Amino acid sequence: MHRIVFLGPPGAGKGTQAATLAQELGVPHLSTGDLLRTAVRERSPLGIEAEGYMRAGRLVPDDLVLRLIRERLARPEAARGFLLDGFPRNRAQAEALESVTAIDRVVAFEIDPTLLIRRLGDRRVCPICATVYNLTTRPPKVDGRCDLDQAPLVHRPDDRPEAIRTRLEVYREETAPLEAFYRERGLLRPVRADGTPGEVAARVRSVVAEATPGETRTTSPPTKRPSQ
Ligand code: AMP
């Protein structure tokens, strides 16, 4: 089964890769960032509570994020697998996730921090369908408009320099320790996240295509011949 977590700093390309891979695998792409941004746009009570943290580049309190993600994981479409992008972000979330489902693979995106700052500064997103563009490497066909629904693209408030600094710091302190958490469980697969989206996609596919632990377990162990 494909129960996959994408781990990596903001700007590493998780969202872009997750959208493509989830479609290829036929599993839902669950991005807590996208779910929270939708809640903010719709002015739901959860969105209103989350907005200030997001603008500042801080983590939204665990109970709000867990409420969102538990509800998504309980839906029938997640029964065949899922791709988590931006969750878990700290140890408490990783432990909560472990208590609701097993995970088959954690793909850790590795990238030079200076490249991240450039990528986030150049990033524009569609507020309607969440498609991600980059002004230099993946510009929209019509300036400032989403290729898919023509909505005006936005520069996320948390992609501005002050919030970027906070987000990278939060990543180092709270999220990066999850690499050790998942390495200990034998699930971590590091992937270099520099290069074109196509190059990164090929690396991601190759680690996702390895036999998942669940599949390995269903194979019967070799039968031991009685010694002669
Ligand atoms: P992202 O789109 O993944 O970069 O997330 C954007 C913002 O949403 C983050 O900077 C946080 O404020 C919030 N956020 C997204 N996922 C989480 C999470 N798992 N836990 C707490 N806050 C989150």
Side-chain angles (χ1 to χ4, degrees):
M1 204 189 308
H2 291 298
R3 291 167 296 191
I4 302 168
V5 168
F6 274 8
L7 192 64
K14 300 186 300 296
T16 303
Q17 296 298 332
T20 323
L21 186 68
Q23 207 169 21
E24 281 176 23
L25 299 175
V27 298
H29 169 200
L30 303 178
S31 154
T32 40
D34 286 346
L35 293 171
L36 287 165
R37 277 183 289 278
T38 302
V40 169
R41 201 175 58 245
E42 290 172 350
R43 312 304 303 154
S44 74
L46 189 147
I48 291 169
E49 208 176 327
E51 189 173 20
Y53 296 96
M54 295 174 74
R55 252 178 204 282
R58 308 227 58 100
L59 292 187
V60 169
D62 292 341
D63 59 325
L64 297 188
V65 179
L66 286 169
R67 213 189 305 155
L68 269 180
I69 209 76
R70 279 205 184 99
E71 191 268 319
R72 289 291 169 145
L73 289 174
R75 291 190 184 182
E77 60 265 33
R80 290 176 37 240
F82 47 79
L83 207 164
L84 288 170
D85 157 19
F87 179 90
R89 279 264 230 291
N90 59 25
R91 192 174 174 106
Q93 293 181 8
E95 286 171 352
L97 178 63
E98 238 176 11
S99 73
V100 290
T101 179
I103 295 295
D104 302 304
R105 199 54 90 237
V106 176
V107 182
F109 287 65
E110 296 191 329
I111 190 158
D112 172 0
T114 52
L115 205 55
L116 293 177
I117 295 165
R118 196 177 334 139
R119 278 196 188 172
L120 293 171
D122 277 358
R123 175 157 77 177
R124 296 294 180 274
V125 293
C126 173
I128 306 300
C129 70
T131 300
V132 180
Y133 298 87
N134 179 291
L135 295 181
T136 321
T137 58
R138 196 193 177 201
K141 293 193 184 103
V142 176
D143 205 20
R145 298 269 170 182
C146 178
D147 292 351
L148 306 180
D149 51 33
Q150 285 72 52
L153 300 178
V154 297
H155 191 198
R156 283 169 41 177
D158 59 345
D159 278 347
R160 295 175 197 277
E162 186 52 40
I164 291 177
R165 268 195 297 278
T166 308
R167 288 165 71 205
L168 292 177
E169 218 174 273
V170 168
Y171 183 79
R172 251 194 322 272
E173 284 170 15
E174 304 203 39
T175 313
L178 294 184
E179 288 185 16
F181 180 91
Y182 286 119
R183 192 178 301 114
E184 280 164 20
R185 287 157 176 74
L187 299 174
L188 196 78
R189 298 292 181 278
V191 158
R192 269 182 37 223
D194 58 330
T196 66
E199 287 164 349
V200 181
R203 296 176 200 140
V204 172
R205 272 191 215 107
S206 77
V207 301
V208 166
E210 292 170 30
T212 60
E215 283 157 0
T216 315
R217 239 182 278 126
T218 57
T219 317
S220 349
T223 35
K224 220 177 163 191
R225 289 179 181 215
S227 47
Q228 293 179 339

